[in-house]
Amino acid sequence: MNAPIVSFNHVGKSFDVDGFELEAIHEFNLDIAEGEFVAIVGSSGCGKSTLLRLLVGLDTQFRGQISVDGQAVKGVGSERGIVFQEHRLFPWLSVADNIGLGLVNEPLSAAQKQQRINDFIDLVGLRDFTRAYPHQLSGGMAQRVAIARGLVASPRILLLDEPFGALDALTRQQMQDELLAIRERAKITTILVTHDVEEAIFLADRVVVMEPRPGRIKQLVDIALAHPRQRSSFDFHQLREELLHELTSDDHYQPSVPVQIRDLPLTFIAC
Ligand SMILES: Nc1ncnc2c1ncn2[C@@H]1O[C@H](COP(=O)(O)OP(=O)(O)OP(=O)(O)O)[C@@H](O)[C@H]1O
Ligand SMILES: [Mg+2]
């Protein structure tokens, strides 16, 4: 690998929860090449969002070192853009103004900013909704606004935390196609957190499987399938089985069945 654009070296993170230390990340080591697409999968609470927050520079209290282009991360920077787990649009701002928030620290004139905002509104297909407010958008449209806001400052590294989690299956597939098209044009290094193994295989060059308590790397899986990837192909199916096995073979793995239902007697569920 050429010199990595992102490097996690012996990264650890603990939180103080009610006077107790909770180790959220344990000895995380990972190098990411320029232009690479890495997906991170793992059960809830294994530290995926925490890792992104550390890389984007929102939390600087951690063990080890995270570097971008060989420089230690010490805070936020416009070469790193993030799309959060919830879209976090401001309800009192229009689509254009929400996207414009991604440019507040950029040394651009008002006209240049407007041009950039318009370009990204076009990119995510929301030209007719430029002056709309978040409550006038569907969930998928709101997510597209959040993605445009993450991209508008032309980051070299894009961090996506479950960006399509709340979308229906069809919109989700459309958004995945759009993300690939955007990447094709902009060649951005991308790190995507997802619960969806199929999404990871469809998009990523490499998948990091995490395990919880404390959050750490369990397995790295290369996805050497050519694009465009066919979800119905044999190779895709085999990788899916392999990843699902990795995810569920954890002794601590808790299937995501709500406790109330799991604990009910079967006769009750049948009613
Ligand atoms: N600010 C915080 N204070 C205390 N504990 C925290 C804080 N943020 C995260 N944690 C804990 O760190 C662990 C990892 O949380 P994180 O949000 O990174 O998980 P995740 O993998 O993103 O989960 P999910 O898939 O549910 O989004 C969890 O046990 C969580 O309770
Ligand atoms: Mg999370």
Side-chain angles (χ1 to χ4, degrees):
M1 190 193 278
N2 293 332
I5 184 169
V6 172
S7 196
F8 290 90
N9 276 304
H10 304 290
V11 171
K13 170 73 187 171
S14 297
F15 292 104
D16 180 344
V17 179
D18 216 9
F20 292 91
E21 181 185 334
L22 176 111
E23 191 182 16
I25 308 282
H26 176 79
E27 269 291 307
F28 190 90
N29 290 294
L30 184 70
D31 284 344
I32 299 173
E34 175 121 48
E36 196 179 6
F37 194 133
V38 170
I40 303 178
V41 299
S43 53
S44 184
C46 72
K48 305 178 298 293
S49 297
T50 303
L51 276 170
L52 293 196
R53 284 176 58 81
L54 297 183
L55 174 56
V56 86
L58 287 168
D59 185 344
T60 51
Q61 302 297 309
F62 57 91
R63 296 179 291 280
Q65 196 175 53
I66 302 176
S67 25
V68 170
D69 277 333
Q71 301 292 314
V73 167
K74 297 212 170 77
V76 292
S78 61
E79 82 285 359
R80 284 158 284 146
I82 187 162
V83 177
F84 291 101
Q85 199 159 359
E86 324 81 41
H87 59 67
R88 298 192 188 180
L89 299 183
F90 290 99
W92 59 88
L93 294 180
S94 67
V95 164
D97 291 341
N98 265 291
I99 295 174
L101 285 177
L103 290 175
V104 280
N105 293 323
E106 294 301 293
L108 299 171
S109 69
Q112 286 171 319
K113 285 186 179 177
Q114 199 50 58
Q115 183 60 51
R116 202 64 101 71
I117 292 166
N118 290 343
D119 290 349
F120 279 85
I121 286 176
D122 284 347
L123 187 72
V124 295
L126 290 174
R127 167 84 64 91
D128 295 340
F129 293 86
T130 304
R131 307 258 39 110
Y133 288 85
H135 75 272
Q136 297 167 317
L137 306 175
S138 71
M141 290 154 78
Q143 284 293 6
R144 277 187 263 169
V145 177
I147 290 172
R149 184 175 59 191
L151 283 166
V152 73
S154 300
R156 291 173 58 218
I157 305 164
L158 180 64
L159 312 178
L160 300 160
D161 195 351
E162 286 275 353
F164 313 138
L167 307 181
D168 67 84
L170 186 63
T171 314
R172 196 177 175 116
Q173 289 196 9
Q174 287 168 349
M175 296 289 293
Q176 291 167 355
D177 289 337
E178 278 178 35
L179 178 61
L180 281 183
I182 290 169
R183 267 183 47 82
E184 192 51 39
R185 266 169 283 171
K187 306 283 180 216
I188 302 172
T189 306
T190 308
I191 305 173
L192 168 82
V193 165
T194 179
H195 278 114
D196 182 344
V197 163
E198 270 197 31
E199 181 166 281
I201 300 170
F202 186 71
L203 296 170
D205 301 317
R206 205 148 50 116
V207 179
V208 179
V209 181
M210 304 264 301
E211 60 184 334
R213 288 179 293 270
R216 61 203 184 280
I217 294 180
K218 183 175 192 195
Q219 181 86 31
L220 296 173
V221 180
D222 285 322
I223 311 293
L225 304 177
H227 288 283
R229 293 177 176 166
Q230 304 300 325
R231 290 182 172 85
S232 55
S233 76
F234 178 77
D235 290 345
F236 196 104
H237 182 74
Q238 215 171 25
L239 274 166
R240 185 170 161 271
E241 293 302 301
E242 187 186 324
L243 275 177
L244 282 173
H245 177 75
E246 278 303 329
L247 275 172
T248 53
S249 63
D250 188 326
D251 289 344
H252 304 295
Y253 181 75
Q254 298 285 323
S256 55
V257 179
V259 173
Q260 301 90 308
I261 292 182
R262 194 177 50 206
D263 289 344
L264 288 175
L266 281 177
T267 45
F268 188 89
I269 294 173
C271 293

